[in-house]
Amino acid sequence: MELLGRPIDETTTEARLDALVQRNAQAGNSVMDVLNLIGGQAEGFLDRLPPSVRMRLNSATEEALRHAAEAAHRSREVVGDGPAWRIRALTTAMGAAGGFGGLPTALAELPATTTILLRAIQDVASEHGFDPSEPGVRFDSIEVFGAAGPLSEDDGANLGFIGTRVTLTGVAMRALIARVAPRLAAVLGQKLAAQTVPVLGAAAGAATNYAYTRYYQDMAHVHFGLRRLAIDADRDPQELVLAFRERAGR
């Protein structure tokens, strides 16, 4: 049972809220910088993928998420929490290996990268004082993937979150994965397409994996930072989400 002290004051609440808004704004910009550096116009990347790959990307991503949801959690029993750079280094190396052989190896690397990304999100949840073994936290960790991707113009990202004491069923988790998968597929499609850039496959794979890992770590900090702030400030969570959106110009 979590013991709560006196709620933080309004000045501290506002400062932490502003810091989360700033982190959210910086996250997508860093990814765009990397993608434009390695491939020109980022929005044209998906055109490089074969039509058959684009068609099955959603189903492949949904399957990868289902496996990742359990694998990422199990990995915590083997490897404990560590610094954020460790996971970024791992996904960067995986991206380089995946991009070295072009599209076939990039596709093979996709499920592993999804698992590591989810593990990175769970580590951030733990950093904010939440237990990733809690059903509500595991649910929220997948929901972070539903944040508007860095290439999306949709600023209406779902920043809601649920309480850790809510009982969640397998059906609810499967429904969440089905809802989140299309958004994540759009992001991973950009990554795959970047890895098919002639000559630059390995470099592009490393760069995109680093950028996307950093992006989802930042999104996790926003998501769980808001959740922690609601607890520390003893404020209604949805009230803080609305205040966040107002500051972010959503």
Side-chain angles (χ1 to χ4, degrees):
M1 182 171 135
E2 188 173 15
L3 296 176
L4 301 179
R6 183 185 298 275
I8 59 176
D9 59 35
E10 187 66 21
T11 299
T12 304
T13 299
E14 295 293 319
R16 283 172 56 175
L17 194 56
D18 287 339
L20 291 172
V21 170
Q22 183 177 11
R23 186 160 205 160
N24 181 75
Q26 291 175 345
N29 291 338
S30 64
V31 178
M32 286 299 297
D33 289 343
V34 169
L35 291 180
N36 284 323
L37 176 65
I38 64 176
Q41 294 300 312
E43 56 269 21
F45 273 164
L46 281 177
D47 295 335
R48 298 192 180 107
L49 289 178
S52 59
V53 174
R54 293 201 300 268
M55 286 180 61
R56 63 187 177 91
L57 193 54
N58 274 14
S59 59
T61 303
E62 188 170 337
E63 182 178 356
L65 260 181
R66 282 199 300 268
H67 291 298
E70 192 56 39
H73 178 63
R74 286 200 307 268
S75 74
R76 304 186 63 81
E77 300 173 0
V78 180
V79 181
D81 294 345
W85 64 262
R86 185 177 69 183
I87 283 188
R88 290 200 293 271
L90 177 58
T91 56
T92 299
M94 289 170 57
F100 185 78
L103 187 59
T105 54
L107 281 169
E109 171 239 332
L110 199 63
T113 294
T114 304
T115 300
I116 300 300
L117 287 174
L118 185 55
R119 170 58 196 268
I121 292 168
Q122 291 181 352
D123 283 353
V124 172
S126 179
E127 186 178 333
H128 284 277
F130 299 104
D131 182 359
S133 67
E134 289 271 356
V137 178
R138 294 174 70 179
F139 189 97
D140 270 16
S141 295
I142 293 177
E143 193 173 43
V144 169
F145 280 129
L151 300 176
S152 173
E153 294 181 359
D154 175 17
D155 288 330
N158 183 4
L159 290 169
F161 42 85
I162 60 176
T164 56
R165 295 179 179 81
V166 173
T167 300
L168 294 166
T169 65
V171 174
M173 184 66 81
R174 287 193 296 272
L176 173 67
I177 288 173
R179 177 171 63 81
V180 164
R183 282 185 176 270
L184 182 58
V187 173
L188 295 181
Q190 298 285 350
K191 169 183 137 54
L192 286 176
Q195 287 174 287
T196 67
V197 175
V199 182
L200 294 178
T208 54
N209 269 25
Y210 176 88
Y212 282 134
T213 304
R214 182 64 179 266
Y215 172 76
Y216 281 114
Q217 285 174 325
D218 282 338
M219 289 299 96
H221 275 291
V222 172
H223 188 97
F224 290 104
L226 281 170
R227 184 166 166 173
R228 170 52 57 188
L229 184 57
I231 293 171
D232 292 347
D234 193 23
R235 295 268 294 272
D236 176 68
Q238 294 307 318
E239 177 189 332
L240 282 178
V241 170
L242 290 174
F244 175 92
R245 286 179 170 155
E246 183 178 346
R247 282 170 168 75
R250 295 186 172 190

